[in-house]
């Protein structure tokens, strides 16, 4: 599984989080989630935010031993400035009806907080039993809207990162590690 180690292309500065560290951390998060939701009656609803969360969702969900359902949504933020004002729009909703379920939002990265705060508000209004968040990466220095995170992978500095589902203009999404981009001149 870990045979392919793509070399760093010249737009990448360094590997920030390697494959083994990712794998260990995702296992720890899965254990915490298994423990926290072990007594719920309905299956846990995992809702991944496309596209960036798809690899984290695949790895995390396969390590869960509790009953769960995998679902996705798609979001658009109105450009960088708009996102910082919290302007977010739902492009594709879940297939499942979330009412009556415990929901765990699965997100690639927390930046300003506008995406997650919008989703938490939206799902709370749907008669869910609870809404919590599993976030693979967190950039604390970028937060604008406060968001509570129950399961956090790693804290990272304010740099643009790619790999493990995260892209730059659709590039580098499938790198097995998290790498820091060299900013464009
Ligand atoms: P927020 O709504 O918290 O400002 O933004 C979260 C979204 O911004 C993430 O889901 C992701 O799409 C994008 N984002 C923020 N920082 C990065 C980054 O360093 N790399 C990538 N690929 N996406 C990022
Ligand atoms: Mg995202």
């Amino acid at each position: 599984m870990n045979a392919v180690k793509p070399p760093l292309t010249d737009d990448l500065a360094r590997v920030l989080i390697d494959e083994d560290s990712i794998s260990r951390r995702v296992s720890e998060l899965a254990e915490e989630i298994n423990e926290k939701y072990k007594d719920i009656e309905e299956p846990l609803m995992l809702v991944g935010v496309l596209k960036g969360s798809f690899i984290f969702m695949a790895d995390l969900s396969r390590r869960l031993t509790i009953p769960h359902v995998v679902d996705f949504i798609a979001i658009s933020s109105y450009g960088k400035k708009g996102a910082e004002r919290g302007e977010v729009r739902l492009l594709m909703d879940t297939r499942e009806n979330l009412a009556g379920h415990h929901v765990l939002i699965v997100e690639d990265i927390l930046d300003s907080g506008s995406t997650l705060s919008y989703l938490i508000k939206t799902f709370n209004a749907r008669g869910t039993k609870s809404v919590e968040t599993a976030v693979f990466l967190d950039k604390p220095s970028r937060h604008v809207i406060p968001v509570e995170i129950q399961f956090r992978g790693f804290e990272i500095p304010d740099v643009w990162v790619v790999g493990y589902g995260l892209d730059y203009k659709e590039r580098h999404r499938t790198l097995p590690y998290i790498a820091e981009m060299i900013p464009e001149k």
Side-chain angles (χ1 to χ4, degrees):
M1 189 57 195
N2 297 352
V4 191
K5 284 261 191 300
L8 280 186
T9 48
D10 58 12
D11 53 346
L12 301 179
R14 62 186 170 121
V15 173
L16 211 59
I17 308 169
D18 66 30
E19 213 177 335
D20 289 341
S21 310
I22 292 174
S23 175
R24 276 197 302 273
R25 189 71 190 116
V26 174
S27 295
E28 288 168 2
L29 293 176
E31 266 180 51
E32 290 172 30
I33 294 167
N34 285 328
E35 177 58 29
K36 177 137 187 195
Y37 293 101
K38 64 179 191 296
D39 294 325
I40 61 175
E41 282 157 28
E42 312 287 335
L44 177 65
M45 288 288 181
L46 300 173
V47 179
V49 186
L50 293 173
K51 300 179 194 175
S53 73
F54 82 111
I55 292 179
F56 179 40
M57 172 67 100
D59 284 351
L60 185 70
S61 59
R62 286 180 296 170
R63 287 163 162 101
L64 294 183
T65 51
I66 50 165
H68 61 275
V69 173
V70 174
D71 206 339
F72 289 96
I73 48 161
I75 285 289
S76 99
S77 21
Y78 291 98
K80 265 263 149 284
K81 288 258 158 58
E84 278 166 21
R85 287 196 303 269
E87 293 168 29
V88 174
R89 191 161 55 105
L90 200 55
L91 292 183
M92 185 195 88
D93 209 339
T94 56
R95 294 276 186 107
E96 305 295 328
N97 181 357
L98 303 180
H101 286 270
H102 293 277
V103 172
L104 183 63
I105 302 171
V106 178
E107 172 67 309
D108 53 358
I109 186 164
L110 172 61
D111 189 59
S112 71
S114 55
T115 305
L116 277 179
S117 68
Y118 168 83
L119 289 176
I120 292 166
K121 215 181 329 153
T122 303
F123 293 162
N124 269 325
R126 290 184 179 183
T128 48
K129 284 189 175 149
S130 70
V131 179
E132 301 205 318
T133 54
V135 171
F136 181 62
L137 299 176
D138 183 16
K139 288 180 178 172
S141 64
R142 298 269 310 165
H143 294 182
V144 177
I145 304 170
V147 174
E148 245 191 85
I149 307 201
Q150 285 73 32
F151 309 96
R152 175 189 341 249
F154 300 90
E155 283 193 8
I156 60 164
D158 182 15
V159 293
W160 193 264
V161 291
V162 292
Y164 201 66
L166 291 117
D167 73 313
Y168 176 66
K169 297 183 179 169
E170 294 304 324
R171 291 197 64 206
H172 300 311
R173 236 188 240 294
T174 54
L175 289 175
Y177 44 74
I178 291 289
E180 175 183 342
M181 296 275 310
I182 297 171
E184 275 186 350
K185 278 156 227 118

